[in-house]
């Protein structure tokens, strides 16, 4: 008896639900079926006259019916709301700020994510995070870094010049002098930045890329400090223990200068095609700050020493996320970029 009744109720309910095309009509259906005077309520009342056994079975059927109605109404409500929104969007003649945004949210650029990681790690080790200009002058980018006019080291850093003689900075090292003058010694600072070079682009070269420069100046700072900080930072960034090694490298603003390699992330140092079987990947040029650069920044090289590094952040992001083509970073290719976390 009850089963038949429920089946009939479901049929009438469905008919009325299909006919409801506005939220008001839907509300009327809800009241008709789930309201105090509706069939669900009547059925509930009828339980009073049943035996315990009957009550148990009927109670379950009534509850299931109630859930069925509620769910169908909620689904229909969502469908009506969406249809109303679509209508509003279609008929909106001009920008309407009251229409909710698309569900698709943006995501952070992988360079931003890496920069935040590195900033957080260095901040926790007492480094301040500095901001600096992208348009600089010859003194900041070269002269103050012990690279006089006509020095051959300039050849590798051709860039874009403005008519007033200023230039787009080729390296974050361009901020070293400014930061030394701003804080004096001792100091610990990192400064991320966008750099520019006149490069033909390919999978490994870009005319626009990011570096993270770091400097630590104090009494008795040595290469051991440099190795310690780099090893700690890189192990944190990659979430595993990273070994580093230094090879000699030449930069006019360091003495001595190094190329810092990290143990290959793929094979862990045993040798594989990614590291050309050497077990090492080149990552970060660095060195002890040249006495001339300290002096130019107003710091006495007899009293203080320091290290500096110019981490290739774009390269680091390529390694961390396995990005094979550097051009993806500036491409605006949302499919490539949206795979990264959005918080
Ligand atoms: N600025 C250099 C470049 O872009 C990298 C570099 C080398 C930065 C040594 C440093 C350093 O701070 O000590 O090629």
């Amino acid at each position: 008896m009850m089963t038949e009744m429920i089946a009939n109720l479901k049929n009438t309910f469905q008919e009325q639900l299909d006919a409801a095309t506005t939220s008001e009509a839907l509300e009327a259906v809800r009241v008709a079926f789930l309201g105090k005077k509706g069939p669900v309520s009547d059925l509930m009342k009828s339980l009073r006259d049943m035996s315990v056994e009957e009550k148990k079975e009927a109670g379950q059927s009534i509850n299931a019916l109630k859930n069925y109605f509620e769910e169908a109404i909620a689904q229909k409500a969502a469908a009506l709301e969406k249809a109303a929104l679509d209508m509003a969007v279609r008929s909106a003649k001009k920008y309407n700020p009251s229409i909710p945004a698309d569900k698709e949210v943006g995501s952070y650029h992988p360079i931003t994510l890496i920069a935040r990681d590195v900033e957080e790690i260095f901040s926790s080790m007492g480094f301040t995070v500095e901001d600096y200009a992208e348009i600089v002058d010859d003194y900041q980018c070269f002269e103050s870094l012990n690279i006089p006019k006509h020095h051959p080291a300039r050849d590798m850093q051709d860039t874009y010049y403005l008519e007033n003689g200023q230039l787009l900075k080729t390296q974050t090292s361009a901020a070293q002098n400014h930061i030394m003058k701003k804080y004096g010694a001792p100091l610990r600072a990192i400064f991320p930045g966008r750099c520019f070079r006149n490069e033909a682009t390919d999978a490994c070269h870009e005319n626009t890329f990011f570096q993270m420069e770091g400097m630590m100046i104090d009494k008795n700072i040595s290469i051991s400090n440099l190795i310690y900080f780099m090893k700690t930072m890189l192990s944190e960034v990659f979430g595993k223990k990273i070994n580093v090694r230094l090879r000699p490298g030449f930069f006019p603003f360091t003495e001595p200068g190094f190329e810092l390699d990290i143990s290959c992330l793929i094979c862990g140092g045993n040798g594989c095609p990614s590291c050309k079987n050497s077990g090492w990947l080149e990552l970060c040029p660095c060195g002890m700050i040249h006495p001339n650069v300290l002096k130019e920044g107003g710091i006495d090289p007899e009293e203080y020493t320091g290290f500096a590094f110019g981490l290739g952040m774009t390269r680091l992001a390529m390694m961390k996320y396995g990005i094979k083509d550097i051009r993806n970073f500036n491409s605006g290719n949302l499919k490539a970029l949206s795979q990264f976390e959005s918080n």
Side-chain angles (χ1 to χ4, degrees), residues 9-270:
L9 270 174
K10 278 188 177 172
N11 281 339
T12 11
F13 171 77
Q14 196 58 48
E15 276 164 23
Q16 296 196 19
L17 192 72
D18 290 345
T21 50
T22 61
S23 53
E24 290 78 18
L26 183 66
E27 176 60 10
V29 177
R30 193 190 65 76
V31 173
F33 285 83
L34 290 165
K36 274 192 197 134
K37 293 182 186 148
V40 173
S41 170
D42 288 348
L43 284 168
M44 289 284 192
K45 279 179 208 147
S46 69
L47 288 176
R48 276 186 233 143
D49 312 321
M50 292 185 194
S51 68
V52 177
E53 273 305 294
E54 283 173 332
K55 215 183 254 179
K56 197 172 160 205
E57 203 178 314
Q60 279 174 355
S61 309
I62 298 168
N63 257 335
L65 180 69
K66 186 169 164 251
N67 290 342
Y68 174 85
F69 287 161
E70 282 173 349
E71 227 163 82
I73 288 172
Q75 271 175 19
K76 179 82 187 208
L80 286 179
E81 198 177 317
K82 185 168 181 308
L85 248 178
D86 287 349
M87 265 296 275
V89 171
R90 251 179 276 129
S91 61
K93 293 211 172 45
K94 52 185 181 195
Y95 174 65
N96 178 355
S98 68
I99 298 174
D102 211 315
K103 282 264 162 35
E104 208 170 300
V105 290
S107 59
Y108 283 112
H109 194 280
I111 297 282
T112 306
L113 295 172
I114 280 277
R116 285 188 178 176
D117 270 3
V118 177
E119 284 168 17
E120 202 177 305
I121 297 160
F122 273 103
S123 302
S124 75
M125 298 191 288
F127 285 69
T128 60
V129 182
E130 303 292 323
D131 199 11
Y132 197 61
E134 288 177 351
I135 298 175
V136 295
D137 57 31
D138 192 88
Y139 173 79
Q140 293 159 320
C141 203
F142 299 118
E143 298 255 349
S144 67
L145 290 165
N146 206 28
I147 313 175
K149 295 229 159 37
H150 311 300
H151 190 290
R154 290 191 180 214
D155 290 353
M156 288 181 311
Q157 302 201 5
D158 186 20
T159 181
Y160 304 90
Y161 286 83
L162 278 65
E163 277 171 7
N164 66 5
Q166 285 186 302
L167 49 115
L168 299 189
K169 75 173 171 210
T170 59
Q171 47 184 350
T172 40
S173 310
Q176 283 197 8
N177 182 268
H178 169 81
I179 292 169
M180 285 181 205
K181 285 177 177 158
K182 182 173 170 191
Y183 292 112
L187 80 83
R188 293 180 189 201
I190 53 168
F191 27 114
R194 183 156 56 162
C195 303
F196 307 85
R197 287 188 199 176
N198 181 9
E199 292 269 7
T201 54
D202 61 25
C204 314
H205 297 89
E206 249 294 7
N207 51 32
T208 308
F209 54 94
F210 288 82
Q211 291 185 337
M212 172 78 75
E213 189 93 0
M215 260 189 327
M216 178 172 184
I217 301 172
D218 208 332
K219 290 182 176 155
N220 302 319
I221 295 294
S222 72
I223 297 166
S224 319
N225 299 103
L226 169 65
I227 295 175
Y228 168 80
F229 279 101
M230 296 315 284
K231 219 168 149 170
T232 309
M233 185 274 291
L234 293 166
S235 300
E236 290 265 343
V237 168
F238 289 107
K240 59 179 170 189
K241 190 166 174 278
I242 299 284
N243 284 324
V244 302
R245 75 170 182 189
L246 295 179
R247 284 179 294 118
F250 174 74
F251 308 98
F253 39 94
T254 56
E255 183 54 41
F258 305 103
E259 290 289 353
L260 181 139
D261 297 338
I262 60 170
S263 48
C264 176
L265 298 163
I266 313 281
C267 64
N270 299 325

